[in-house]
Structures are given as C-alpha cells and as structure tokens.
C-alpha cells in the first residue's frame, strides 16, 4: 500500500483553526463570506432557472415523441444531456451548507460522488456524440460511422456503460477505509486518493476536451463538399451544441485545474490555505452554474425547443 493512500491526515483549511496572525483570521472570515454569498446567488438564481429550463425541455421532447412516435438522433442526445444535467443540479444541493460542508459517512459521500461522476461524465461524452453527429451532417460519413450514428440508442447505451465503468473506478479510488466514520462531504471527496483526481482529470476532462478540440478543428479546417451549406449557416442551424461545448470547456477547465492543484497538495502532504479552499469552492459552484446555463441554452437555441 502506498503511503499516499492513508488520507486520515487530510482536512479543510477552514477546519484547521491554527491561525496565528489577525491577518489570517481576517482572510479566513472574508473567504467564508464570499463562499456564502456565491452559494446564495447560485441557489436563488441559477437553480430555479436551470430546473425550469430542464423541465420545459423534458415536456417538449415527450410531447414531440408522443405526437410523432419517433425521436431524431439530435433530440435523443439533447434529452440524455438534459437528464444528466438535471441530476447534476439536484446533487448540487450539497452546497447549501456552505461555507460549511455536508456531514455524511464516508460510504454515503462515496455514493453521492458516484452519481455526481456518472452525471458529470455522461454530459461530457454525450456532447462529444452530438458534435460527431453535427460533423457527419456537414461532411459525407464513412460507412462504419454512418451505421453507428444511425443507431442512437446503441450510442447512448455505449456512453452509459463507459461512464458507469469510469464512475465505478473513481468510487474505488475514493478509498475503501473508514466507511462508517462521519466526514465533511464534497461531491469530489477531499479524502479521496490522489489517483481519483488524476483519473477524473484524464477521462473527465483531458480525453473529451481533446475530442472537442479535434471536432472543432475538423469543422473549421476541412473543406466541406460543394452541396454542403456554408459554415456560418451550419453553425446557425445547430447553435445549441456549439454554445454548450464552449461553455462546458471554459467552466470545466477552471474546475479541473483546481482539482489538479488539490492533488499536488495531497502529494506534498499539505492541506493548503483558506484561499485555496475558497478558489476550489468557486470552481465547484461555477461547474454547477454551467449545468444550469447549458439547459437554458438548449431551451433557447435548440430548434424543437424554440
């Protein structure tokens, strides 16, 4: 067993009251105030907006399906993305206790973390599927890809199995000790092994971001066939996926950089400062704001919802 796997020493800087100077105490109080205000702003404005948009999208898609008895590939992927983000918003209620943290056993915290990662990864990879479908609408597809994308249920099934396996791997990397003990719980648990964050960064951000950048590169750099509409026309026809793609990349980049910073602290056996904790909290709330914003973008820009 690696020594880094013994995480009993770790705690939040705000829980470690060994401040020596009045300046440190003032900095601590200021960071707690910022976290509290951000949480109130998120719960008051973003949550109702995001949930309302999500419920409206579900109603529209169900109504359309009942009328036409068929659902287009794009609509199915948007529906999958919407459900993942609604789950993310419900899980984000764990920030209500901020600047304090949710109290839960290690086991309960790991279960919450599993569902959070499942939704987080699902929304990320279904977006890659959406971008692939949009590329195939612009460029003549190769036969194998064409066959695969004509079976959207199969694609969604593959994403669900893949993200389930990844979430399960991360649940194992949270650590298998002290399941019965109570702890301060965050959706990405502080007491998780450093490998947890490395896997999360690699498969939850690195790989999907590479695929996103690749699809944008192909879209802008590759010459479309003569019969294809102009690039601006194509983007105007399917704006939702492209707007969401950019929003997700920006918000998740910040969040994942903070996750990596946390890993370096763990490897150095350091708990960091109240300022580090503040920035991690800001990144987490920004991540949840992105889930709400994405649903609003689908409602406003995806053609069937408009």
């Amino acid at each position: 067993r690696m020594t880094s796997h013994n995480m009993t020493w770790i705690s939040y800087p705000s829980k470690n009251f060994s401040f020596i100077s009045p300046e440190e105490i003032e900095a601590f109080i200021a960071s707690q105030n910022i976290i509290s205000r951000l949480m109130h702003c998120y719960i008051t404005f973003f949550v109702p907006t995001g949930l309302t948009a999500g419920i409206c999208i579900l109603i529209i898609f169900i109504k359309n399906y009942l009328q036409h008895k068929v659902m287009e590939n794009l609509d199915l992927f948007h529906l999958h993305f919407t459900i993942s983000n609604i789950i993310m918003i419900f899980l984000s209620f764990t920030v209500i206790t901020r600047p304090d943290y949710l109290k839960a056993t290690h086991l309960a915290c790991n279960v919450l973390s599993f569902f959070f990662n499942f939704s987080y990864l699902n929304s990320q990879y279904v977006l890659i599927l959406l971008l692939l479908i949009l590329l195939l609408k612009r460029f003549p597809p190769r036969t194998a890809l064409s066959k695969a994308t004509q079976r959207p249920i199969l694609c969604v099934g593959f994403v669900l199995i893949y993200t389930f396996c990844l979430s399960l791997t991360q649940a194992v990397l949270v650590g298998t000790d002290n399941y019965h003990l109570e702890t301060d719980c965050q959706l990405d648990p502080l007491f998780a092994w450093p490998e947890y964050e490395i896997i999360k960064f690699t498969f939850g951000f690195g790989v999907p971001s590479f695929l996103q950048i690749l699809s944008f590169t192909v879209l802008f750099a590759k010459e479309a066939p003569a019969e294809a509409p102009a690039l601006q026309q194509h983007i105007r026809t399917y704006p939702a996926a492209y707007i969401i793609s950019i929003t997700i990349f920006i918000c998740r980049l910040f969040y994942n950089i903070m996750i990596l910073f946390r890993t370096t602290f763990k490897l150095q056996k350091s708990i960091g400062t109240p300022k580090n904790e503040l920035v991690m909290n800001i990144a987490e709330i920004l991540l949840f704001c992105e889930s709400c914003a994405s649903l609003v973008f689908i409602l406003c820009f995806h053609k069937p919802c408009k």
Side-chain angles (χ1 to χ4, degrees):
R1 258 166 88 84
M2 287 167 57
T3 48
S4 64
H5 285 181
N6 177 16
M7 302 305 292
T8 48
W9 59 272
I10 204 160
S11 71
Y12 288 99
S14 60
K15 301 283 180 183
N16 193 37
F17 296 107
S18 55
F19 303 121
I20 345 147
S21 65
E23 287 81 17
E24 280 183 306
I25 294 166
E26 278 175 32
F28 167 72
I29 292 166
S31 74
Q32 296 285 86
N33 280 336
I34 294 167
I35 294 167
S36 181
R37 281 176 191 167
L38 277 173
M39 182 276 292
H40 282 112
C41 177
Y42 168 70
I43 295 292
T44 310
F45 300 111
F46 283 87
V47 169
T49 312
L51 285 178
T52 306
I55 290 160
C56 289
I57 296 163
L58 291 182
I59 291 166
I60 291 162
F61 282 142
I62 291 165
K63 206 172 147 189
N64 285 355
Y65 179 75
L66 292 174
Q67 276 177 351
H68 308 292
K69 296 287 179 239
V70 70
M71 192 175 277
E72 272 190 40
N73 296 11
L74 279 180
D75 288 354
L76 183 69
F77 295 152
H78 275 105
L79 178 66
H80 184 118
F81 183 84
T82 301
I83 293 166
S84 294
N85 278 286
I86 289 172
I87 295 168
M88 283 263 283
I89 294 169
F90 280 123
L91 288 169
S92 76
F93 285 132
T94 53
V95 302
I96 285 176
T97 51
R98 299 292 155 86
D100 202 351
Y101 294 89
L102 185 75
K103 292 274 184 273
T105 61
H106 280 242
L107 177 63
C109 196
N110 201 348
V111 170
L112 279 174
S113 176
F114 170 82
F115 284 111
F116 167 61
N117 283 319
F118 188 55
S119 309
Y120 175 93
L121 292 163
N122 249 317
S123 60
Q124 191 82 64
Y125 282 98
V126 85
L127 182 67
I128 303 298
L129 270 182
L130 259 173
L131 293 175
L132 175 65
I133 291 284
L134 294 182
L135 274 183
L136 294 177
K137 280 186 180 290
R138 183 152 173 78
F139 303 103
R142 301 277 181 270
T143 36
L145 267 180
S146 179
K147 278 178 186 168
T149 53
Q150 276 163 13
R151 302 173 76 178
I153 300 286
L154 204 68
C155 296
V156 167
F158 173 76
V159 166
L160 286 169
I161 292 165
Y162 175 68
T163 53
F164 177 81
C165 294
L166 271 180
S167 306
L168 210 57
T169 306
Q170 285 190 263
V172 171
L173 293 174
V174 166
T176 50
D177 299 334
N178 310 317
Y179 269 153
H180 57 289
L181 295 181
E182 198 174 67
T183 185
D184 292 310
C185 179
Q186 213 172 352
L187 290 174
D188 278 315
L190 182 71
F191 55 84
W193 296 346
E195 290 89 338
Y196 169 92
E197 277 114 356
I198 293 161
I199 292 284
K200 175 137 190 167
F201 179 84
T202 309
F203 294 100
F205 182 75
V207 173
S209 293
F210 169 74
L211 294 171
Q212 262 176 267
I213 292 164
L214 188 69
S215 66
F216 271 90
T217 308
V218 171
L219 183 71
F220 287 105
K222 195 177 178 200
E223 202 176 324
E227 67 274 10
L231 181 60
Q232 285 176 321
Q233 178 61 40
H234 170 81
I235 291 169
R236 272 204 299 268
T237 312
Y238 310 105
Y242 294 117
I243 294 169
I244 290 165
S245 195
I246 294 161
T247 313
I248 276 190
F249 179 79
I250 294 164
C251 295
R252 295 195 179 188
L253 173 66
F254 178 42
Y255 183 72
N256 279 276
I257 287 169
M258 296 331 300
I259 282 273
L260 280 189
F261 268 121
R262 201 166 79 171
T263 315
T264 56
F265 286 134
K266 285 180 185 180
L267 295 172
Q268 291 162 2
K269 284 279 196 285
S270 161
I271 61 167
T273 64
K275 192 181 174 185
N276 301 134
E277 187 180 351
L278 165 67
V279 179
M280 185 70 218
N281 271 283
I282 292 170
E284 189 182 32
I285 291 170
L286 186 66
L287 177 79
F288 295 135
C289 290
E290 172 262 300
S291 286
C292 301
S294 293
L295 295 178
V296 173
F297 292 145
I298 292 176
L299 189 64
C300 296
F301 297 110
H302 184 50
K303 207 172 268 177
C305 299
K306 277 203 290 186

